[in-house]
Amino acid sequence: MKLEYNGDYYFYTLLNPHHPDKELETIGTVYVSKSVDLIWFMSKDINERYNIDGYVFGPAGNYTEAEKLIIQLMHH
């Protein structure tokens, strides 16, 4: 896996290699801050399996901290 850099943060789009129609299907995304101290991961599988927003973010101790850090990551 090689992260792409867009000038503000690194990211990688996870694709389903076993999609039955051989189409590109996004199954998640990884974002990493420029300074590599914040990581945000979104999983479509977690969304569907548990009927929740499948976001994992670190380091954060609770939802409110995660929201603030996501905003910080996306606006670095």
Side-chain angles (χ1 to χ4, degrees):
M1 172 168 74
K2 181 179 178 185
L3 299 173
E4 300 290 328
Y5 182 63
N6 74 354
D8 293 321
Y9 53 85
Y10 297 92
F11 67 95
Y12 183 80
T13 303
L14 302 165
L15 300 173
N16 178 0
H18 307 293
H19 192 277
D21 297 330
K22 306 289 186 211
E23 296 176 14
L24 295 179
E25 176 191 19
T26 301
I27 59 172
T29 309
V30 177
Y31 299 92
V32 180
S33 66
K34 188 175 182 178
S35 58
V36 194
D37 60 342
L38 305 173
I39 297 174
W40 175 22
F41 169 72
M42 187 284 296
S43 168
K44 181 179 173 185
D45 188 45
I46 292 172
N47 291 354
E48 292 172 356
R49 183 175 296 176
Y50 300 105
N51 197 27
I52 60 172
D53 288 335
Y55 295 102
V56 178
F57 194 83
N62 58 49
Y63 182 82
T64 303
E65 286 179 19
E67 269 189 328
K68 289 178 185 176
L69 292 173
I70 288 168
I71 292 168
Q72 179 183 340
L73 170 63
M74 300 309 282
H75 293 66
H76 253 146

